[in-house]
Amino acid sequence: KCDLIKFKMGTLVEETGPNSATSLQSDETPNEELFETMVVLPPDPPLPEHLTVLFVDDDMVLRKLFARSLRRIRPNWTIRECASGEATLALVESEGCSAFDLIFLD
C-alpha cells in the first residue's frame, strides 16, 4: 500500500509529535491521475437503533468492559452477558435463537 502511495504521490514523510499519533504526509500535491484511479465507496449503512447482543466470555473483566463500552456507544441496545458455553446454551434454548440479533463467542 505504501509503495502505491509513493509511486502516485511522491515521498512520504513521517511526523510524530509528543502525545500524538504518527501521521504521513506527501511532499507533493496529488495530481489528477491519482483522483481518477481512486475508488469511492458508498457510506456504511447506519447501525440499527435497537439490537439485542449477547456477549459470551469466561473472563469477567473483559465481559464487563465490552458490555459497558457497547452500552455507552449504543444506549438503546440490549446487552446480555454469559460467562460460559453451558449458560449460553441454556439461555438460547430458553429464549430462542431469535432473541438475539448478534452473539459474540470467546
PDB file of all heavy atoms in Angstrom, residues 66-78:
ATOM      1  N   PHE A  66     -16.472  -4.985  27.707  1.00  0.00           N
ATOM      2  CA  PHE A  66     -17.170  -5.000  26.427  1.00  0.00           C
ATOM      3  C   PHE A  66     -18.596  -4.479  26.588  1.00  0.00           C
ATOM      4  O   PHE A  66     -19.042  -3.603  25.841  1.00  0.00           O
ATOM      5  CB  PHE A  66     -17.193  -6.416  25.844  1.00  0.00           C
ATOM      6  CG  PHE A  66     -17.986  -6.525  24.574  1.00  0.00           C
ATOM      7  CD1 PHE A  66     -17.411  -6.247  23.354  1.00  0.00           C
ATOM      8  CD2 PHE A  66     -19.311  -6.906  24.603  1.00  0.00           C
ATOM      9  CE1 PHE A  66     -18.141  -6.343  22.176  1.00  0.00           C
ATOM     10  CE2 PHE A  66     -20.053  -7.002  23.430  1.00  0.00           C
ATOM     11  CZ  PHE A  66     -19.460  -6.724  22.217  1.00  0.00           C
ATOM     12  N   ALA A  67     -19.313  -5.014  27.574  1.00  0.00           N
ATOM     13  CA  ALA A  67     -20.711  -4.623  27.780  1.00  0.00           C
ATOM     14  C   ALA A  67     -20.822  -3.134  28.097  1.00  0.00           C
ATOM     15  O   ALA A  67     -21.676  -2.431  27.541  1.00  0.00           O
ATOM     16  CB  ALA A  67     -21.326  -5.464  28.891  1.00  0.00           C
ATOM     17  N   ARG A  68     -19.966  -2.642  28.984  1.00  0.00           N
ATOM     18  CA  ARG A  68     -20.011  -1.219  29.353  1.00  0.00           C
ATOM     19  C   ARG A  68     -19.694  -0.326  28.155  1.00  0.00           C
ATOM     20  O   ARG A  68     -20.349   0.694  27.928  1.00  0.00           O
ATOM     21  CB  ARG A  68     -19.045  -0.948  30.499  1.00  0.00           C
ATOM     22  CG  ARG A  68     -19.182   0.466  31.042  1.00  0.00           C
ATOM     23  CD  ARG A  68     -18.361   0.652  32.278  1.00  0.00           C
ATOM     24  NE  ARG A  68     -16.994   0.959  31.850  1.00  0.00           N
ATOM     25  CZ  ARG A  68     -15.991   1.141  32.689  1.00  0.00           C
ATOM     26  NH1 ARG A  68     -16.168   0.995  33.973  1.00  0.00           N
ATOM     27  NH2 ARG A  68     -14.793   1.449  32.228  1.00  0.00           N
ATOM     28  N   SER A  69     -18.688  -0.710  27.378  1.00  0.00           N
ATOM     29  CA  SER A  69     -18.310   0.093  26.205  1.00  0.00           C
ATOM     30  C   SER A  69     -19.439   0.134  25.187  1.00  0.00           C
ATOM     31  O   SER A  69     -19.755   1.199  24.638  1.00  0.00           O
ATOM     32  CB  SER A  69     -17.056  -0.494  25.558  1.00  0.00           C
ATOM     33  OG  SER A  69     -15.981  -0.461  26.450  1.00  0.00           O
ATOM     34  N   LEU A  70     -20.037  -1.010  24.943  1.00  0.00           N
ATOM     35  CA  LEU A  70     -21.126  -1.062  23.952  1.00  0.00           C
ATOM     36  C   LEU A  70     -22.353  -0.297  24.436  1.00  0.00           C
ATOM     37  O   LEU A  70     -23.027   0.378  23.655  1.00  0.00           O
ATOM     38  CB  LEU A  70     -21.484  -2.512  23.644  1.00  0.00           C
ATOM     39  CG  LEU A  70     -22.220  -2.772  22.352  1.00  0.00           C
ATOM     40  CD1 LEU A  70     -21.513  -2.147  21.159  1.00  0.00           C
ATOM     41  CD2 LEU A  70     -22.381  -4.266  22.130  1.00  0.00           C
ATOM     42  N   ARG A  71     -22.624  -0.353  25.733  1.00  0.00           N
ATOM     43  CA  ARG A  71     -23.764   0.405  26.286  1.00  0.00           C
ATOM     44  C   ARG A  71     -23.552   1.912  26.150  1.00  0.00           C
ATOM     45  O   ARG A  71     -24.508   2.658  25.947  1.00  0.00           O
ATOM     46  CB  ARG A  71     -23.983   0.038  27.748  1.00  0.00           C
ATOM     47  CG  ARG A  71     -24.653  -1.299  27.927  1.00  0.00           C
ATOM     48  CD  ARG A  71     -24.964  -1.595  29.399  1.00  0.00           C
ATOM     49  NE  ARG A  71     -25.567  -2.899  29.505  1.00  0.00           N
ATOM     50  CZ  ARG A  71     -24.954  -3.975  30.017  1.00  0.00           C
ATOM     51  NH1 ARG A  71     -23.718  -3.867  30.500  1.00  0.00           N
ATOM     52  NH2 ARG A  71     -25.570  -5.130  30.060  1.00  0.00           N
ATOM     53  N   ARG A  72     -22.303   2.361  26.268  1.00  0.00           N
ATOM     54  CA  ARG A  72     -22.015   3.791  26.102  1.00  0.00           C
ATOM     55  C   ARG A  72     -22.191   4.226  24.649  1.00  0.00           C
ATOM     56  O   ARG A  72     -22.668   5.320  24.372  1.00  0.00           O
ATOM     57  CB  ARG A  72     -20.601   4.104  26.550  1.00  0.00           C
ATOM     58  CG  ARG A  72     -20.443   4.156  28.025  1.00  0.00           C
ATOM     59  CD  ARG A  72     -19.053   4.571  28.399  1.00  0.00           C
ATOM     60  NE  ARG A  72     -18.916   4.640  29.838  1.00  0.00           N
ATOM     61  CZ  ARG A  72     -17.796   4.918  30.443  1.00  0.00           C
ATOM     62  NH1 ARG A  72     -16.703   5.178  29.754  1.00  0.00           N
ATOM     63  NH2 ARG A  72     -17.746   4.959  31.752  1.00  0.00           N
ATOM     64  N   ILE A  73     -21.759   3.367  23.728  1.00  0.00           N
ATOM     65  CA  ILE A  73     -21.842   3.710  22.305  1.00  0.00           C
ATOM     66  C   ILE A  73     -23.273   3.608  21.790  1.00  0.00           C
ATOM     67  O   ILE A  73     -23.725   4.453  21.024  1.00  0.00           O
ATOM     68  CB  ILE A  73     -20.917   2.785  21.485  1.00  0.00           C
ATOM     69  CG1 ILE A  73     -19.462   3.025  21.871  1.00  0.00           C
ATOM     70  CG2 ILE A  73     -21.111   2.998  19.992  1.00  0.00           C
ATOM     71  CD1 ILE A  73     -18.509   1.979  21.322  1.00  0.00           C
ATOM     72  N   ARG A  74     -23.969   2.571  22.219  1.00  0.00           N
ATOM     73  CA  ARG A  74     -25.335   2.309  21.756  1.00  0.00           C
ATOM     74  C   ARG A  74     -26.265   2.096  22.948  1.00  0.00           C
ATOM     75  O   ARG A  74     -26.627   0.975  23.297  1.00  0.00           O
ATOM     76  CB  ARG A  74     -25.368   1.070  20.840  1.00  0.00           C
ATOM     77  CG  ARG A  74     -24.711   1.281  19.521  1.00  0.00           C
ATOM     78  CD  ARG A  74     -25.530   2.258  18.725  1.00  0.00           C
ATOM     79  NE  ARG A  74     -24.843   2.590  17.486  1.00  0.00           N
ATOM     80  CZ  ARG A  74     -25.197   3.595  16.725  1.00  0.00           C
ATOM     81  NH1 ARG A  74     -26.202   4.346  17.056  1.00  0.00           N
ATOM     82  NH2 ARG A  74     -24.543   3.850  15.639  1.00  0.00           N
ATOM     83  N   PRO A  75     -26.691   3.173  23.619  1.00  0.00           N
ATOM     84  CA  PRO A  75     -27.513   3.020  24.825  1.00  0.00           C
ATOM     85  C   PRO A  75     -28.869   2.352  24.582  1.00  0.00           C
ATOM     86  O   PRO A  75     -29.458   1.809  25.513  1.00  0.00           O
ATOM     87  CB  PRO A  75     -27.680   4.456  25.340  1.00  0.00           C
ATOM     88  CG  PRO A  75     -27.313   5.335  24.204  1.00  0.00           C
ATOM     89  CD  PRO A  75     -26.406   4.562  23.307  1.00  0.00           C
ATOM     90  N   ASN A  76     -29.371   2.365  23.365  1.00  0.00           N
ATOM     91  CA  ASN A  76     -30.666   1.745  23.077  1.00  0.00           C
ATOM     92  C   ASN A  76     -30.570   0.239  22.826  1.00  0.00           C
ATOM     93  O   ASN A  76     -31.588  -0.424  22.700  1.00  0.00           O
ATOM     94  CB  ASN A  76     -31.330   2.403  21.869  1.00  0.00           C
ATOM     95  CG  ASN A  76     -31.732   3.830  22.155  1.00  0.00           C
ATOM     96  OD1 ASN A  76     -31.985   4.194  23.300  1.00  0.00           O
ATOM     97  ND2 ASN A  76     -31.790   4.650  21.127  1.00  0.00           N
ATOM     98  N   TRP A  77     -29.354  -0.278  22.722  1.00  0.00           N
ATOM     99  CA  TRP A  77     -29.185  -1.706  22.501  1.00  0.00           C
ATOM    100  C   TRP A  77     -29.302  -2.455  23.822  1.00  0.00           C
ATOM    101  O   TRP A  77     -28.915  -1.968  24.873  1.00  0.00           O
ATOM    102  CB  TRP A  77     -27.832  -2.003  21.868  1.00  0.00           C
ATOM    103  CG  TRP A  77     -27.716  -1.576  20.432  1.00  0.00           C
ATOM    104  CD1 TRP A  77     -28.589  -0.822  19.714  1.00  0.00           C
ATOM    105  CD2 TRP A  77     -26.642  -1.879  19.550  1.00  0.00           C
ATOM    106  NE1 TRP A  77     -28.130  -0.630  18.438  1.00  0.00           N
ATOM    107  CE2 TRP A  77     -26.929  -1.278  18.309  1.00  0.00           C
ATOM    108  CE3 TRP A  77     -25.460  -2.590  19.695  1.00  0.00           C
ATOM    109  CZ2 TRP A  77     -26.087  -1.377  17.217  1.00  0.00           C
ATOM    110  CZ3 TRP A  77     -24.613  -2.691  18.596  1.00  0.00           C
ATOM    111  CH2 TRP A  77     -24.931  -2.095  17.375  1.00  0.00           C
ATOM    112  N   THR A  78     -29.811  -3.666  23.743  1.00  0.00           N
ATOM    113  CA  THR A  78     -29.884  -4.538  24.901  1.00  0.00           C
ATOM    114  C   THR A  78     -28.647  -5.429  24.891  1.00  0.00           C
ATOM    115  O   THR A  78     -28.423  -6.154  23.919  1.00  0.00           O
ATOM    116  CB  THR A  78     -31.156  -5.409  24.856  1.00  0.00           C
ATOM    117  OG1 THR A  78     -32.289  -4.546  24.796  1.00  0.00           O
ATOM    118  CG2 THR A  78     -31.241  -6.316  26.059  1.00  0.00           C
TER     119      THR A  78
END
